[in-house]
Amino acid sequence: MKKFAGHYGAPLLMILPSIVLIGIFVYGLLGVNFWTSMTDNHTAAQAAGREPIAFVGLTNYIELLLTEDFRHSLANLVLFTATFLVGAMAMGFLWAWLLERPLRGGRLFQTIYLFPMAVSFVASGVVWRWLLNSNQGENASGLNRLFQMIGLDVLQNPWWNNITFGIMAIALPAIWQLSGYVMALFLAGFRGVPDELREAARMDGASEWQVYRMVIFPQLTPVLMSAIVIIAHMSLKSFDLILSISSAAAYQTKVPAVDMFLFKSSFDYANSAAVGAFLLIIIAFLIVPYLVQQHRSRTR
């Protein structure tokens, strides 16, 4: 015991405050959230302690899944995540591939293209709310007005006011903001591939396309996985951008994060916690396999 204390005592004391804080404010609050989600705490009187709260198990989760509104929110989340993920990954990878070779003005373009990431979602949402204005014809503004001016009236559309696909329009500003970040990730990956590997492939008779397909692209797999996890988990938590462009009451752009806010605002803490638990479980299914794969690759 003395040997253990002498060996690990000082390091443990140094990290003990962090362990305690994480235990209380991360795992402790997660436990409180899961407990709240399995109670009948649906009213302001219960939230204030004037009425009793009972344990109901998984009832709130089942009832949420049975409501059409919440299923619509989950469908919107899938559409938003898919559009955001594919758009940001495609744009970021394309620009990284083009800028991988030294170009005049390339550094300036990288800076300009990465700049939107420094803007908050709320600030960009205010601008994009005007750009994605759904008015058409004589009252058109934003992108619809631009299409009208250049003679492409056929491209005018209701944007985020479309009941079925409106949430996909909200993904456009998200792609605009985060594709620069994805570009920076892939650009670092491209430039991290040793020149010796490229030269060896060329000496073996590989064409430029074969060098990329057989040598460079496989080296980018860790970057690709990191980018997918980061963008996907950001899209699952999207809230401020959606509310900046649309509104909490807009059915066409509802996602679980907005539902959680609405439940909490009406003192329905149980359903709000249940929605939060759903989001945590979805994110865990995405991130935990990635972390396991990363751990296995490091221990080989």
Side-chain angles (χ1 to χ4, degrees):
M1 187 67 183
K2 288 182 180 180
K3 187 177 180 181
F4 177 84
H7 228 70
Y8 301 104
L12 284 173
L13 284 174
M14 290 181 68
I15 66 172
L16 184 61
S18 297
I19 293 174
V20 172
L21 290 174
I22 292 173
I24 294 173
F25 293 106
V26 177
Y27 297 104
L29 294 180
L30 282 176
V32 171
N33 183 85
F34 277 106
W35 168 258
T36 304
S37 71
M38 292 187 284
T39 66
D40 65 347
N41 189 354
H42 299 297
T43 65
Q46 288 175 305
R50 294 195 300 270
E51 291 185 4
I53 297 173
F55 180 80
V56 295
L58 299 177
T59 301
N60 293 323
Y61 294 91
I62 296 170
E63 289 180 352
L64 277 174
L65 289 173
L66 291 177
T67 60
E68 194 277 333
D69 273 4
F70 188 66
R71 291 200 302 272
H72 175 74
S73 295
L74 290 175
N76 273 351
L77 182 63
V78 172
L79 281 175
F80 179 80
T81 300
T83 307
F84 183 17
L85 184 61
V86 172
M89 296 295 293
M91 292 295 295
F93 178 80
L94 176 62
W95 284 117
W97 192 5
L98 294 175
L99 293 171
E100 194 254 334
R101 303 174 187 83
L103 296 173
R104 180 178 295 179
R107 296 273 183 175
L108 177 62
F109 178 81
Q110 291 173 38
T111 303
I112 294 173
Y113 198 63
L114 193 58
F115 177 75
M117 187 185 171
V119 181
S120 72
F121 279 128
V122 174
S124 66
V126 172
V127 177
W128 279 92
R129 181 181 177 89
W130 175 79
L131 287 173
L132 299 178
N133 190 293
S134 60
N135 291 335
Q136 302 178 37
E138 294 181 357
N139 298 320
S141 64
L143 292 178
N144 281 345
R145 176 60 176 163
L146 175 64
F147 293 148
Q148 190 180 69
M149 291 172 62
I150 61 178
L152 294 175
D153 296 53
V154 68
L155 295 179
Q156 293 189 61
N157 66 87
W159 299 108
W160 58 269
N161 277 309
N162 183 291
I163 294 293
T164 306
F165 301 109
I167 193 65
M168 296 176 72
I170 305 287
L172 293 178
I175 294 169
W176 172 75
Q177 279 198 258
L178 269 297
S179 57
Y181 175 66
V182 176
M183 176 198 71
L185 289 177
F186 277 116
L187 203 52
F190 274 121
R191 292 176 178 172
V193 177
D195 289 335
E196 292 79 6
L197 289 178
R198 304 175 189 234
E199 291 303 322
R202 292 189 182 106
M203 290 178 66
D204 286 340
S207 65
E208 198 62 24
W209 167 244
Q210 288 173 325
V211 170
Y212 275 98
R213 187 169 64 89
M214 306 300 294
V215 178
I216 298 177
F217 290 163
Q219 299 287 324
L220 298 178
T221 302
V223 176
L224 174 66
M225 293 303 300
S226 298
I228 289 175
V229 169
I230 292 169
I231 297 300
H233 111 270
M234 288 184 69
S235 69
L236 291 172
K237 299 189 302 179
S238 291
F239 172 77
D240 45 0
L241 177 65
I242 294 172
L243 256 64
S244 298
I245 297 175
S246 181
S247 67
Y251 175 79
Q252 60 270 28
T253 55
K254 262 166 47 74
V255 292
V258 174
D259 286 330
M260 184 167 58
F261 170 74
L262 292 174
F263 282 132
K264 189 266 177 188
S265 300
S266 61
F267 298 98
D268 189 348
Y269 290 169
N271 277 331
S272 180
V275 174
F278 270 121
L279 286 176
L280 177 64
I281 292 168
I282 294 171
I283 292 172
F285 270 110
L286 174 70
I287 292 179
V288 170
Y290 168 74
L291 294 176
V292 171
Q293 185 269 334
Q294 288 290 95
H295 174 72
R296 286 176 178 171
S297 64
R298 288 195 187 101
T299 54
R300 280 173 187 167

